[in-house]
């Protein structure tokens, strides 16, 4: 018989932020593997009666081989539940490789990552027109896990785009120093999210110059995501998207002539300012 393993993105924490598909997989699985250190228990409480629920918080990849072998031999479905989205810092590539070598089918269900949940909680847009149209997902280099030599926080910071930083809270002083050295001004707005959407969630705002002191004050050294960039600023916007501007034409809507002229004038002013 042939079993299968489905990687399920559990989302940032709250049980109602998992996708409908992910919830269905957990509810129907014969085996549910989850890490209590990262995933909220409510997310696996919906496992069906008789399902085997395994806490992998202290398990290595090799420890799970017998489980996968049994799933293969007995034709079982395994829900491998990961915090956030399995494709981001989930170490799922090595798991998929092992599972395929054991002869099981593999599927994936995406999930909401902590950076997206933090932006929603603080009601910010990560990509604001003419301010930042790019998002960098990264972590601070120099820790226990090696980073590619060209992927440094300092080099990414030089772009001035919105940045989401994972797995970096324990070295917050170095993180602040590298962000400043890369070119972010000291007053750049930051959002710090601890256990976003969990019952003990903590969401903070500060300027980059106060990032380390803010994190130390609240003793944040794990389960924390940091957002940095000018798009996170509070207050009214100085620009607006073309998408909903009455002067912007697309296949579903004609442009209003007077509004179209205004939009063109805005574009000309933007180009002139960029070149000056």
């Amino acid at each position: 018989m042939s079993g299968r393993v489905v990687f399920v993105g559990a989302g940032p924490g709250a049980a109602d932020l998992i996708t409908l598909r992910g919830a269905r997989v957990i509810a129907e699985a014969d085996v549910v593997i989850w890490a209590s250190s990262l995933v909220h228990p409510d997310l696996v409480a919906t496992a069906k009666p008789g399902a085997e629920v395994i806490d992998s918080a202290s398990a290595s990849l090799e420890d799970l081989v017998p489980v996968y072998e049994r799933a293969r031999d007995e034709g079982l479905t395994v829900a491998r539940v990961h915090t956030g989205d399995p494709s981001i810092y989930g170490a799922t590539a090595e798991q998929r490789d092992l599972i395929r070598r054991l002869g099981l089918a593999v599927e994936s269900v995406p999930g909401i990552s902590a950076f997206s949940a933090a932006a929603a909680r603080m009601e910010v847009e990560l990509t604001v027109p003419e301010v930042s149209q790019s998002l960098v997902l990264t972590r601070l280099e120099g820790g226990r896990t090696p980073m590619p030599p060209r992927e440094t926080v300092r080099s990414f910071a030089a772009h001035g785009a919105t940045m989401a930083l994972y797995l970096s809270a324990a070295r917050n002083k170095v993180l602040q120093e590298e962000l400043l050295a890369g070119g972010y001004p000291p007053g750049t707005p930051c959002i710090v999210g601890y256990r976003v959407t969990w019952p003990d969630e903590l969401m903070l705002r500060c300027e980059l110059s106060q990032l380390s002191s803010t994190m130390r004050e609240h003793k944040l050294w794990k389960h924390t995501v940091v957002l940095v960039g000018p798009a996170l600023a509070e207050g009214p916007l100085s620009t607006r998207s073309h998408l909903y501007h009455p002067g912007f034409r697309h296949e579903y809507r004609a442009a209003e002539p007077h509004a179209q002229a205004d939009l063109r004038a805005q574009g000309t002013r933007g180009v002139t300012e960029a070149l000056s």
Side-chain angles (χ1 to χ4, degrees):
M1 299 179 70
S2 178
R4 64 172 183 151
V5 178
V6 184
F7 288 90
V8 178
D16 59 352
L17 282 177
I18 191 172
T19 64
L20 292 173
R21 183 180 299 181
R24 185 173 66 249
V25 170
I26 293 173
E28 297 175 354
D30 303 298
V31 181
V32 178
I33 302 174
W34 72 299
S36 60
S37 56
L38 297 170
V39 177
H40 196 282
D42 286 352
L43 286 154
V44 297
T46 57
K48 68 182 181 182
E52 183 178 3
V53 181
I54 301 171
D55 184 356
S56 65
S58 61
S60 67
L61 178 58
E62 288 72 15
D63 290 335
L64 297 175
V65 169
V67 179
Y68 293 137
E69 289 178 332
R70 181 158 50 84
R72 175 198 62 200
D73 297 339
E74 299 179 16
L76 306 178
T77 294
V78 178
R80 184 67 171 98
V81 184
H82 273 262
T83 183
D85 184 280
S87 67
I88 302 176
Y89 300 118
T92 55
E94 61 200 50
Q95 296 181 65
R96 286 190 181 87
D97 182 59
L98 169 67
I99 291 165
R100 289 193 179 104
R101 284 190 280 111
L102 290 173
L104 291 103
V106 182
E107 300 175 26
S108 291
V109 179
I112 298 173
S113 188
F115 81 86
S116 183
R121 295 293 286 159
M122 300 302 279
E123 298 183 356
V124 297
E125 184 174 348
L126 301 173
T127 53
V128 176
E130 299 182 48
V131 177
S132 176
Q133 289 288 281
S134 301
L135 173 64
V136 178
L137 300 178
T138 190
R139 59 178 293 175
L140 180 64
E141 69 279 2
R144 293 189 298 173
T145 302
M147 287 280 286
R150 297 179 63 185
E151 294 186 14
T152 65
V153 166
R154 184 179 299 197
S155 64
F156 287 136
H159 297 282
T162 307
M163 193 182 301
L165 296 125
Y166 288 74
L167 306 169
S168 305
R171 302 172 60 229
N172 52 70
K173 185 174 186 296
V174 178
L175 176 62
Q176 177 179 312
E177 291 171 349
E178 290 301 300
L179 290 167
L180 289 168
Y184 283 119
T188 302
C190 299
I191 290 173
V192 181
Y194 169 75
R195 289 167 69 96
V196 184
T197 77
W198 286 61
D200 57 346
E201 169 193 88
L202 179 64
M203 300 297 304
L204 302 167
R205 271 190 174 274
C206 66
E207 293 186 350
L208 178 54
S209 60
Q210 300 299 315
L211 178 62
S212 180
S213 61
T214 299
M215 296 176 73
R216 289 200 311 271
E217 177 187 351
H218 294 277
K219 298 180 173 59
L220 303 181
W221 59 278
K222 64 177 182 177
H223 302 314
T224 303
V225 63
V226 176
L227 306 180
V228 184
L232 308 178
E234 295 182 283
L237 294 174
S238 59
T239 62
R240 64 172 290 183
S241 168
H242 285 191
L243 181 60
Y244 299 110
H245 194 290
F248 186 67
R249 178 183 60 82
H250 55 71
E251 62 177 314
Y252 296 101
R253 186 183 71 222
E256 297 178 12
H258 296 296
Q260 192 172 37
D262 178 62
L263 188 61
R264 287 172 178 164
Q266 288 181 25
T268 302
R269 287 196 299 272
V271 171
T272 301
E273 291 170 358
L275 294 174
S276 61

